[in-house]
Amino acid sequence: MNKKHKEQLKLYDDKEQELERAIAIVREQRREYINQHNLNRVNDAEKTQINKN
């Protein structure tokens, strides 16, 4: 593999790592939002609907 290919692959690898870090940050922000607003809890109306199915 020549130097040009190695450099291009490194650019792709670096970009992939950058995007993976960004995804991890967004997922953590989403978890925090859910926790702050108690969105991970099923309310009574939803429980009733779930139990009917």
Side-chain angles (χ1 to χ4, degrees):
M1 189 179 324
N2 68 32
K3 185 177 178 180
K4 178 183 174 183
H5 294 310
K6 288 180 182 179
E7 289 173 356
Q8 185 60 49
L9 289 174
K10 181 170 180 1
L11 290 174
Y12 287 130
D13 291 342
D14 292 347
K15 187 60 159 180
E16 184 178 15
Q17 288 177 353
E18 176 187 339
L19 293 171
E20 286 173 348
R21 286 190 296 271
I23 288 170
I25 290 168
V26 170
R27 285 181 177 156
E28 178 61 25
Q29 290 171 336
R30 183 179 188 277
R31 279 192 293 273
E32 286 296 321
Y33 183 87
I34 289 169
N35 290 337
Q36 288 172 2
H37 298 281
N38 295 319
L39 300 176
N40 54 346
R41 297 187 182 157
V42 177
N43 67 33
D44 289 336
E46 289 173 334
K47 284 181 187 175
T48 303
Q49 188 67 22
I50 291 169
N51 291 336
K52 288 182 180 179
N53 294 333

